Amino acid sequence: NLTQKEGVTVTASVNDATAMGLIDGTNDKAAGSYQDDAGNTVQYAWSFWSAKAASAVVDLGAYCSLSEIKLYMGYPNGGNKRPEKFSLYYSRDNVNYTQFDQQEDTVEMYTNILDDAIVARYIKLEIPEVENAREVRIRELEIYGVGIADVATNITKYANLSVESSQANDASVAGLVDGDKEQGGSYPDNGGAW
């Protein structure tokens, strides 16, 4: 869960004081608060009255390749307090956003496993204005993927990897480190994959 990395922040258009509850790592609590390491009071959920539109933006602190998003809404194990609908957006600059999901008739736990990875630094959850105002609680927003810096570190780490072979077909051994997981190298004598 990328939201648990150091330096990740969240801001909200309404009730910003409870917004940290979106990324505090507790998805099973809907009410109450606790003291963080710095002595700040943190709510277990981002909550507000939904007469007006509301949004929350999570800043991951760096570009990340995102693979899955989870939202925990309302009260755990029953009770409503879920938004009627919501949209999810991503951005690299916190100015230009692209919508990648929109849901109506929400459920307590929502998961979106992305078909194609999204590279972004910011994720925005947007809840539109509704006719009948009611309390809304979002218990947790979990964002899964990998930091681009982590990917770059691994690429650099393995870029100079080489394999030596006493086999006659040294070119086939290069398949062990060429990044092609499907093909691999081939045996010098029978063409099988390494």
Side-chain angles (χ1 to χ4, degrees), residues 73-87:
M73 300 172 279
Y75 284 108
N77 304 318
N80 199 334
K81 308 292 187 198
R82 298 185 307 268
E84 291 177 2
K85 52 181 109 171
F86 67 85
S87 298

Side-chain angles (χ1 to χ4, degrees), residues 116-192:
D116 296 312
I118 292 172
V119 175
R121 175 175 172 172
Y122 302 91
I123 295 294
K124 178 165 55 171
L125 167 63
E126 196 169 78
I127 299 167
E129 183 175 343
V130 295
E131 290 182 25
N132 299 316
R134 64 186 176 123
E135 185 183 9
V136 170
R137 288 182 175 271
I138 310 294
R139 298 192 322 265
E140 194 75 13
L141 172 58
E142 296 177 354
I143 303 169
Y144 293 91
V146 62
I148 298 298
D150 297 335
V151 173
T153 299
N154 285 335
I155 289 171
T156 303
K157 182 178 176 181
Y158 296 109
N160 295 320
L161 185 63
S162 64
V163 176
E164 293 184 21
S165 170
S166 61
Q167 302 283 337
N169 189 351
D170 283 338
S172 68
V173 177
L176 290 172
V177 295
D178 69 359
D180 186 349
K181 292 180 185 176
E182 298 297 321
Q183 181 61 34
S186 59
Y187 293 113
D189 57 351
N190 67 5

Side-chain angles (χ1 to χ4, degrees), residues 78-95:
N80 199 334
K81 308 292 187 198
R82 298 185 307 268
E84 291 177 2
K85 52 181 109 171
F86 67 85
S87 298
L88 290 166
Y89 301 81
Y90 70 90
S91 174
R92 295 181 184 176
D93 61 8
N94 201 22
V95 175

